[in-house]
Amino acid sequence: MQEAIPYRTTFHHSLITHSPSPASPRRDGMVAKMVADNAVIVVGRSGCCMCHVVKRLLLGLGVNPAVYDVEEKDEVGVRTELEALIHGRDKDEKVLHFPAVFIGGKLFGGLDRLMATHISGDLIPILKKAGALWL
Amino acid sequence: MNSPSTQFVSSRRMGVYDPIQQINMWGENFKSNVNLSALIGEADGKFINQPEDASHNTLGTSKMYGQEAHRPIDKIQRRLAQNREAARKSRLRKKAYVQQLESSRLKLMQLEQELNHARQQGLYMGGASDCNNLGFTGTVNSGITTFEMEYGHWVEEQNRLVCELRGALNAHISDNELRIIVDSIMNHYFELYRKKSAAAKADVFYVMFGMWKTTAERFFMWIGGFRPSKLLKVIVPLIEPLTEQQRFDISNLEQSCQQAEDALSQGMDKLQQTLGDTIAAAGPLVEGPYIPQMAAAMEKMEALVSFVNQADHLRQETLQQMFRMLTIRQAGRYLLTVGEYFQRLRALSSLLASRPREPA
């Protein structure tokens, strides 16, 4: 049974956002570490509006996701790193689409899967189990 | 010889008597007293200058033949009266016709204005997409033309399915048979979402702003279609009775749907904002059609395709979830109510469109 969560409209959460900057360029393994360290992390291209949708959906549920903005120049590197984490049986499953959501250190999917899971009522339990939500 | 009525018809537009008919009339009664050839000659000369008003001729007639017997004169008077009546009616018809022409002309001017305006909008938003598919710019978007045609068929099929469903629910057919009809309607909706996705690739603005929908439907538009949470809120009260568990589950569905919608809406706001910033940063237009910021702006516009797809995905998921939570009979009632709701919206649009415009 789902607990009814009050929906907050204007919402300013301090997101744990990491983007590579000139001062601290992306180090190998940085993304993978963030995936492992955070209950929920959203990895998307910087400035992408779909990424924003994912973020706002999770925030609206009371989740404080980590966010990793991928610069265009780093995209290939990040993609390789993350695809290595995916345990897929066939080649198709190993392809990563941005924005990508990782829950409990594992690839969950994109906005499609997020919305479908939320509508079917299964998302909140998954988030709770991963420790992203407490009630 | 020609009957009077035929003569009236042929000279209707002129509102003028056919002099031959008059001659016939006169000739019939005054053969012995009238120089027919002289009359014809006179009539020919008078043809071009034939006055509209009947009174002239009446006067002329009575002056010329006033001394004759009463019976023939009565006949003449009657026929002249009929002429006058016919002429009057003819004038009224002409007046009505002209009025109709005037209003059509006004409407045409209005339509031209609207189309120009829409075309302007299309030019502003740039890109290869044709805002209107009427080929003004010389190019026709085949993807949209196909969609328009397919959507027309879809609506027809939808009406047929709704009718079939209504009949099935009233006839209390078995659950298995009802399931078949319900499944076909669900699949019909999914088919529409697929077609919309293809159309969005052809012209995202066309789909986004519901150019393919009727006016009343467009009023409720949210990212290329109806707002799914609103639909739930409107339709669910109409499919009672529901169990307590069902009401609870539906309430949760409404909330989840609302949350997903809000996330998408906020994404759209961000897109508008970044697009606005990009265009503001573009600076004065330099030589050449494209500058980096414009290219970036156009790229952002393409993100709208994703939004339309995600919105439709949400609609589809919501529909499927409803289906999972209801019995087959309840699902049937739900789909019937939804179908009828949209039929009413389309009917409302038709009524609005056919309403006569008030004169300015």
Side-chain angles (χ1 to χ4, degrees), chain B residues 195-334:
Chain B
K195 292 196 192 334
K196 273 172 74 179
S197 184
K201 288 201 194 84
D203 184 350
V204 69
F205 302 105
Y206 182 87
V207 177
M208 172 83 75
F209 298 111
M211 304 310 292
W212 44 289
K213 282 194 177 269
T214 62
T215 45
E217 288 173 289
R218 242 177 272 148
F219 178 69
F220 294 98
M221 192 127 271
W222 174 80
I223 312 184
F226 215 87
R227 195 181 267 270
S229 65
K230 280 276 166 17
L231 191 63
L232 286 177
K233 291 196 178 93
V234 165
I235 301 293
V236 164
L238 302 173
I239 62 166
E240 292 280 354
L242 297 163
T243 68
E244 203 56 48
Q245 181 64 43
Q246 282 178 327
R247 273 198 220 106
F248 180 76
D249 288 338
I250 289 174
S251 168
N252 284 337
L253 175 61
E254 280 172 15
Q255 190 177 49
S256 306
C257 198
Q258 181 80 59
Q259 286 163 338
E261 281 169 21
D262 287 342
L264 281 170
S265 294
Q266 287 177 70
M268 285 284 282
D269 286 346
K270 174 126 195 287
L271 181 63
Q272 274 190 343
Q273 187 200 310
T274 50
L275 190 64
D277 290 344
T278 309
I279 293 182
L285 283 175
V286 292
E287 294 292 316
Y290 296 120
I291 51 176
Q293 283 90 344
M294 282 302 191
M298 279 169 64
E299 218 181 273
K300 287 207 185 301
M301 281 296 182
E302 291 310 310
L304 281 172
V305 179
S306 312
F307 276 100
V308 169
N309 287 335
Q310 289 296 340
D312 276 349
H313 178 66
L314 180 62
R315 288 179 187 109
Q316 189 163 324
E317 289 298 318
T318 307
L319 187 62
Q320 278 178 315
Q321 182 68 5
M322 269 304 276
F323 184 67
R324 275 179 227 128
M325 296 187 312
L326 300 174
T327 67
I328 195 66
R329 205 148 284 271
Q330 285 170 326
R333 284 213 310 278
Y334 179 76

